[in-house]
Amino acid sequence: MLSVHTSPLEQPGTGDAGGMNVYVSQTAQEMARRGVEVEVFTRATSSDQPPLVELAPGVTVRHVQAGPFEPLGRDELPAQLCAFTSGVLRAEAFHEPGYYDLIHSHYWLSGQVGWLARDRWGVPLVHTAHTLAKVKNAALADGDKPEPRTRVMGEEQVVAEADCLVANTPVEARQLVEMYGAEPHAVHAVPPGVDLERFTPGSQALSRQALGLPQDAVVLAFAGRIQPLKAPDVLLHAAAELLRKRPELAPRLVVLVVGGPSGTGLEQPQALRELAVSLGIRDQVRFLPPQPGPALVDVYRAADLVAVPSYNESFGLVALEAQACGTPVVAAEVGGLPVAVVHGVSGLLVPSHGAAEWADALAALALRPDRRRELAANAVEHARRFSWRRTTDSLLDIYAQATRAFRNALDLRTEVAV
Ligand code: UDP
């Protein structure tokens, strides 16, 4: 697996680390459990990182030196792709020919590396985009910076070169075909999973105690990378609107924002705190740094609902994890979120980002315990349909198909040459 710009060893929820890191780590571990050895190539960001790290039995992370030992912005990474590719090819050259059977690249930067390695090694390239620049640019938050043309062109090249493309949802599969000219037969929609052993329903009381939250609080939570695209500001505006309509809630309302700055959010890391002050809800909003898995479980269980107000979301793992913990989700009706959340069944989908509409949706769940309980039970059931085991089953099927097609094409070329 190639994961150039972010490592599965990083804590997700800030900077470049998010759902893709979880995806790579979980599918690699699931593959290893089935006897498929996985090596994940990622860029070294510190001189302390050993060249090889065992993430789990059968999963090795290879730190490739490409550029300085420090985090680089995404705009700086394309210039390091040549060095990274060279590191990948050199690592392979230490082995006997045919060491790797297949390459799975994650995000377009890795796709650029994968396409060259594929040609050198004669193995198929499977690519997952995770997010697409054209889709993101069509749904930007007000004032947010669009993704650059370099990325759009790079993605188009990877789509044209990859043997198979994996999309998170049928909507994303269609976007690859309609916006990027992918061959429909090369695109497979495979839903991501959720760790159903970690994310389970549990005692809200104990989780509130663990987080130091009052038992009678109305808790609205957001978890993820803090950036305009993820729209945590929509939740804050909606909470302020809710308090305007229901001022008696003020002593009990808690808006929990979990995560760290990321993307264009890095330019104004204090913006959300300033917004809370200017909306007059500073006392209601609590910020927590990115939380590792077990602590995140407490956040989900403690919350009356989890909000996912993103302007775009290829899928939205947070929505699935919250539901697996028995917490209904209020999500924007965009991208993959209508797959992750079933409107009126496991949560609510809001068609706009307006404060009034969001405030109504929050109130409809958080202030109606009977409705909340009903959706909470459905949420657990809905989340159970997804698992990393199922995701990995589908990926391994795709790998097998890609390998067969690749070998057939190779045989055909050899016959023609003879
Ligand atoms: N996450 C985490 N700690 C946090 C916040 C988020 O571990 O404090 C993880 C979360 O469990 C989820 C991922 O980060 O698996 C975010 O994935 P999602 O698909 O929701 O968003 P993305 O980061 O891919 O945009």
Side-chain angles (χ1 to χ4, degrees):
M1 289 187 192
L2 304 175
S3 179
V4 173
H5 78 291
T6 180
S7 163
L9 298 169
E10 276 170 49
Q11 168 62 53
T14 189
D16 273 338
M20 183 184 123
N21 306 59
V22 174
Y23 190 110
V24 169
S25 170
Q26 292 286 339
T27 55
Q29 290 183 63
E30 194 55 48
M31 283 177 198
R33 281 195 273 275
R34 295 155 194 228
V36 177
E37 264 186 71
V38 182
E39 289 188 11
V40 185
F41 289 83
T42 191
R43 199 182 75 84
T45 52
S46 149
S47 57
D48 297 340
Q49 290 163 334
L52 298 178
V53 176
E54 187 183 67
L55 186 149
V59 182
T60 306
V61 175
R62 278 182 178 270
H63 289 115
V64 177
Q65 198 187 338
F69 286 126
E70 62 190 59
L72 289 178
R74 292 215 199 160
D75 52 334
E76 296 173 295
L77 284 166
Q80 298 308 325
L81 291 181
C82 190
F84 191 94
T85 308
S86 148
V88 171
L89 296 183
R90 281 181 192 165
E92 194 263 353
F94 278 105
H95 297 291
E96 70 279 11
Y99 184 76
Y100 297 110
D101 294 303
L102 180 136
I103 305 166
H104 190 160
S105 53
H106 293 273
Y107 195 67
W108 76 275
L109 293 167
S110 303
Q112 291 280 329
V113 178
W115 135 40
L116 223 127
R118 183 271 315 269
D119 285 353
R120 282 294 296 261
W121 304 344
V123 298
L125 171 67
V126 176
H127 178 73
T128 305
H130 292 277
T131 59
L132 293 165
K134 289 185 192 180
V135 175
K136 270 175 111 168
N137 287 350
L140 281 185
D142 270 352
D144 201 6
K145 231 183 358 213
E147 292 294 318
R149 222 161 71 92
T150 354
R151 176 174 171 187
V152 172
M153 292 187 291
E155 287 179 338
E156 285 171 345
Q157 290 166 326
V158 175
V159 166
E161 286 291 336
D163 298 287
C164 272
L165 295 160
V166 178
N168 281 333
T169 59
V171 169
E172 197 183 23
R174 214 169 41 242
Q175 288 162 342
L176 281 162
V177 173
E178 288 172 5
M179 300 168 91
Y180 284 87
E183 295 287 346
H185 71 265
V187 188
H188 305 260
V190 177
V194 54
D195 183 343
L196 293 171
E197 276 158 35
R198 164 163 290 167
F199 298 106
T200 56
S203 158
Q204 187 181 69
L206 286 178
S207 291
R208 287 193 173 186
Q209 205 179 335
L211 292 166
L213 296 172
Q215 293 298 337
D216 68 342
V218 173
V219 182
L220 316 176
F222 169 95
R225 295 179 289 152
I226 313 276
Q227 53 172 300
L229 184 81
K230 293 275 177 187
D233 55 304
V234 169
L235 175 61
L236 264 54
H237 279 287
E241 178 69 20
L242 187 59
L243 287 183
R244 260 193 294 279
K245 287 186 186 156
R246 303 279 303 265
E248 74 281 7
L249 278 177
R252 287 171 57 216
L253 188 70
V254 176
V255 182
L256 201 53
V257 177
V258 184
S262 165
T264 51
L266 286 161
E267 289 161 22
Q268 290 178 298
Q270 294 304 318
L272 213 53
R273 285 170 204 272
E274 287 161 11
L275 180 66
V277 173
S278 70
L279 290 171
I281 55 169
R282 185 177 54 184
D283 294 342
Q284 280 77 25
V285 185
R286 298 198 191 176
F287 291 93
L288 283 179
Q291 301 292 305
L296 192 59
V297 171
D298 275 329
V299 169
Y300 293 143
R301 287 181 184 165
D304 288 297
L305 62 83
V306 168
V308 186
S310 314
Y311 284 96
N312 187 250
E313 200 68 67
S314 161
F315 189 80
L317 292 185
V318 160
L320 218 48
E321 293 163 357
Q323 291 172 90
C325 290
T327 304
V329 173
V330 177
E333 195 176 8
V334 297
L337 287 169
V339 177
V341 179
V342 186
H343 180 64
V345 176
S346 69
L348 296 176
L349 293 168
V350 186
S352 83
H353 291 87
E357 219 170 332
W358 268 82
D360 288 346
L362 299 177
L365 271 193
L367 307 183
R368 288 190 45 200
D370 50 334
R371 182 93 172 108
R372 207 196 84 84
R373 265 194 298 278
E374 185 193 328
L375 266 61
N378 298 340
V380 177
E381 209 175 302
H382 178 60
R384 281 211 192 106
R385 299 203 182 113
F386 300 83
S387 73
W388 292 114
R389 204 157 41 79
R390 279 191 57 189
T391 307
T392 306
D393 282 341
S394 303
L395 291 181
L396 290 176
D397 278 349
I398 292 167
Y399 291 180
Q401 274 179 46
T403 304
R404 270 196 305 274
F406 197 82
R407 291 205 179 129
N408 288 344
L410 218 62
D411 288 347
L412 209 65
R413 258 180 271 156
T414 319
E415 275 171 30
V416 171
V418 169

